[in-house]
Amino acid sequence: MMEFVTLNNGVKMPMVGFGTDAANAELTYNEVMAAATEAGYRMFDTAAMYGNQDELGAYLVNSGLDRSDYFLTSKVAQLEQGYENTLQAFKRTTAALQTDYLDLYLVHWPKFEPFFETWRALEHLYKEGYVRAIGVSNFEAHPYFNQHVLHNYLTELGIQHQAWSPLGRGAVLQDETLQGIATRYGVSVAQVILRWHIQHNVAVIPKSGNPARMAQNIDLQFQLTPTDMARIDALQRGERIMGAPDQNYTEDLW
């Protein structure tokens, strides 16, 4: 059974979504998405820079799902930002995805000079009803970089935290503590990490091109004990897997 979180404007969002950037999958794009849909995913996360919005839109239109059956997220890229640019980028995104609205629209990497104009465009889209919720993206979080200070700050403000790269791009899967916990629960290390995120009220968007792992990543109907939660919390090292956002904030990297 899918768990949901209610955003501060009343919109319900699945706690587990599917990262649709399937560039390295051995299956075709439609096969990847069909496997994700079969596994039970109903939140699909994409972005302008992924280059897959046309494929995703075509898949969803032909999937047999009603538009109200799934939660669709996309993001405005750095080089699309600014007020008018963002509005035009949104039109391109919705045309590619073959939908007239998004459930969630995010600023991908913030760009210093036009950030507030970009955000003003997102507010306009929200007020006009083209987007059900808005936010910012790329909050990397995983057991070695748990973002607890940021998470507490977001919680105080009523902002939902959603983890980018919740499995640390695989870098934490060999951790002995996590492996021991997974063995005791009879689940995978990935399932333990995703369950840990959810019990901290952090939404997740794992990505996989493997149908078996897709099914595992959404099968999270178990509870970690407070002791095991604390053991995973203690793995914090302050280690980023990806680049620091400050660099991306001031440079046009893509």
Side-chain angles (χ1 to χ4, degrees):
M1 182 179 296
M2 176 59 67
E3 296 178 62
F4 290 82
V5 63
T6 300
L7 305 181
N8 59 24
N9 64 352
V11 170
K12 290 181 65 177
M13 182 181 80
M15 287 292 283
V16 183
F18 186 71
T20 65
D21 181 12
N24 298 320
E26 296 182 1
L27 305 175
T28 68
Y29 192 82
N30 275 2
E31 288 172 337
V32 168
M33 293 307 304
T37 303
E38 178 65 24
Y41 293 92
R42 292 297 182 270
M43 179 170 72
F44 302 109
D45 179 275
T46 187
M49 68 166 292
Y50 295 169
N52 68 357
Q53 294 186 137
D54 288 297
E55 289 179 290
L56 177 58
Y59 169 78
L60 290 172
V61 165
N62 294 295
S63 67
L65 297 172
D66 290 335
R67 178 63 183 87
S68 60
D69 290 338
Y70 57 88
F71 191 102
L72 190 55
T73 299
S74 192
K75 314 174 191 79
V76 56
Q78 265 190 329
L79 298 182
E80 294 178 325
Q81 291 183 34
Y83 185 80
E84 291 297 337
N85 286 347
T86 296
L87 297 181
Q88 292 304 313
F90 177 80
K91 290 180 180 179
R92 291 192 296 271
T93 282
T94 51
L97 291 170
Q98 301 186 49
T99 182
D100 55 5
Y101 74 95
L102 292 179
D103 297 285
L104 180 61
Y105 198 39
L106 306 174
V107 181
H108 208 155
W109 277 112
K111 185 178 177 183
F112 179 74
E113 186 174 347
F115 175 75
F116 292 103
E117 289 302 297
T118 301
W119 187 255
R120 188 165 67 89
L122 264 62
E123 289 184 333
H124 170 78
L125 292 168
Y126 174 74
K127 291 173 182 176
E128 293 298 315
Y130 294 111
V131 178
R132 299 177 67 220
I134 56 177
V136 295
S137 183
N138 281 9
F139 284 95
E140 179 186 344
H142 50 78
Y144 288 174
F145 190 71
N146 64 30
Q147 294 272 37
H148 59 282
V149 174
L150 172 66
H151 176 77
N152 292 339
Y153 176 71
L154 295 175
T155 299
E156 290 175 4
L157 295 179
I159 299 171
Q160 178 61 40
H161 184 188
Q162 184 181 64
W164 170 51
S165 195
L167 303 177
R169 296 208 164 187
V172 298
L173 297 182
Q174 303 305 313
D175 184 272
E176 292 184 0
T177 296
L178 293 171
Q179 289 183 339
I181 293 172
T183 297
R184 286 192 287 104
Y185 285 85
V187 297
S188 71
V189 173
Q191 285 172 294
V192 166
I193 296 170
L194 295 172
R195 185 69 234 174
W196 168 76
H197 280 297
I198 288 173
Q199 286 182 220
H200 275 311
N201 196 38
V202 178
V204 291
I205 42 172
K207 179 180 72 173
S208 176
N210 180 291
R213 286 196 291 270
M214 291 182 205
Q216 283 185 343
N217 290 345
I218 200 173
D219 182 14
L220 304 174
Q221 300 306 304
F222 62 97
Q223 289 286 322
L224 295 169
T225 66
T227 298
D228 285 329
M229 290 290 291
R231 292 178 69 198
I232 300 172
D233 291 346
L235 297 176
Q236 162 74 351
R237 301 178 181 178
E239 293 182 1
R240 291 184 183 274
I241 303 300
M242 302 300 294
D246 287 351
Q247 180 184 12
N248 291 277
Y249 188 50
T250 56
E251 299 178 12
D252 288 330
L253 297 186
W254 37 266

